[in-house]
Amino acid sequence: MLDNLLAPLRKLGHSTINAVWKLGVMSRFLLAIIAHSGQSLLRFQLTIREVYFAGVLSLIIIVVSGLFVGMVLGLQGYNTLSRFGSADALGALVALSLLRELGPVLAALLFASRSGSAMTAEIGLMKATEQLEAMSVMAVDPIARVVAPRFWAGVISMPILAALFNVMGIFGGYLVGVVMIGLDEGTFWSQMQNNVDLHFDVINGLIKSLFFGIAVTLIAVFEGFDATPTAAGVSSATTRTVVTSALVILALDFVLTAFMF
């Protein structure tokens, strides 16, 4: 009877210890990436190639999603603001919503789903086919050659993708508010300019996206490097990347918002 009561407590303790242990291993992994980044930064073409795969190939989903999110914000914002006679403030509502919260968070979630999962699957497959071990045998450090370029590519790409998401979202709000509904174009842009602060809104949003990029890319490369070298192990690592990244993005967003705003 006592064993049955203590079993859930043991399971909880075991899960907590594993989580703390994995956090420590990931921290050491981040230090190893930074320590081995010199080679990848000197051979910057490696990082540029990964920027193409992580950032450029994510443009379509980022741009299209940003456009539709902005259009939805324009519709919902107009319906809400018109009840209080404040429809002219639609431009400020769309811009502030995107720049502060929706832009960085949604762009990071899309980045984790598309590029983060691809990084994990690629590195995990290289481990399963013993390519990483072959590099070590040939005196090529796999962290410097494989992991570090992908890490820095994600860190570089994420703020740029978030900025493009914001631009397309604002354009989507403009299409709905000005073109479809018929609000005054000058009022739409002037309200946005008067209420958006460069440092408080734009810069803080980019700082958020930078932190999201570091977190998502670190999780992606770590899960791939730590994956069990089997098909099931790579599949499980890819799933963990998407799920863990989503939870970390939302938790980190709360912490950063509390400090910034």
Side-chain angles (χ1 to χ4, degrees):
M1 181 65 180
L2 183 60
D3 290 339
N4 292 334
L5 294 175
L6 292 178
L9 187 60
R10 292 195 189 99
K11 187 175 181 180
L12 176 62
H14 182 69
S15 300
T16 303
I17 292 173
N18 283 341
V20 173
W21 174 83
K22 195 167 187 177
L23 183 62
V25 174
M26 189 177 294
S27 300
R28 292 181 58 188
F29 188 71
L30 176 60
L31 294 177
I33 293 174
I34 295 174
H36 291 83
S37 294
Q39 180 179 342
S40 62
L41 294 178
L42 288 176
R43 300 176 62 187
F44 200 61
Q45 68 273 14
L46 297 176
T47 303
I48 292 298
R49 187 181 66 177
E50 297 304 327
V51 168
Y52 172 78
F53 287 110
V56 176
L57 295 183
S58 300
L59 277 177
I60 296 298
I61 188 173
I62 292 292
V63 168
V64 174
S65 299
L67 179 65
F68 283 110
V69 168
M71 294 175 72
V72 171
L73 271 177
L75 285 174
Q76 295 285 8
Y78 177 78
N79 290 333
T80 302
L81 292 174
S82 60
R83 298 177 187 176
F84 305 97
S86 303
D88 291 339
L90 180 64
L93 172 68
V94 171
L96 292 175
S97 300
L98 287 167
L99 292 172
R100 289 187 178 187
E101 291 297 329
L102 291 180
V105 171
L106 292 180
L109 291 173
L110 292 171
F111 180 79
S113 301
R114 194 269 167 201
S115 298
S117 60
M119 289 182 189
T120 301
E122 188 175 9
I123 297 176
L125 185 60
M126 294 176 71
K127 184 177 182 181
T129 55
E130 299 182 351
Q131 295 181 48
L132 299 181
E133 293 183 6
M135 289 182 186
S136 300
V137 171
M138 293 185 293
V140 176
D141 194 318
I143 293 181
R145 181 62 178 80
V146 175
V147 176
R150 286 167 173 79
F151 174 78
W152 291 113
V155 173
I156 293 170
S157 301
M158 186 61 245
I160 300 174
L161 293 174
L164 291 173
F165 188 97
N166 291 334
V167 171
M168 292 305 299
I170 293 172
F171 179 66
Y174 167 82
L175 288 178
V176 170
V178 176
V179 178
M180 291 177 56
I181 297 176
L183 295 178
D184 182 70
E185 182 177 359
T187 303
F188 182 89
W189 293 115
S190 63
Q191 284 287 334
M192 187 183 304
Q193 293 173 355
N194 292 333
N195 289 281
V196 174
D197 182 76
L198 176 62
H199 177 267
F200 194 68
D201 299 316
V202 179
I203 301 300
N204 281 347
L206 290 177
I207 292 173
K208 272 189 177 184
S209 63
L210 178 63
F211 276 95
F212 294 159
I214 294 172
V216 169
T217 314
L218 176 61
I219 293 170
V221 295
F222 174 78
E223 291 292 353
F225 201 81
D226 190 55
T228 304
T230 61
V234 175
S235 175
S236 178
T238 304
T239 302
R240 286 198 305 270
T241 293
V242 177
V243 174
T244 306
S245 296
L247 295 176
V248 169
I249 287 168
L250 296 176
L252 194 58
D253 179 55
F254 172 77
V255 175
L256 292 175
T257 301
F259 280 101
M260 290 179 176
F261 303 106

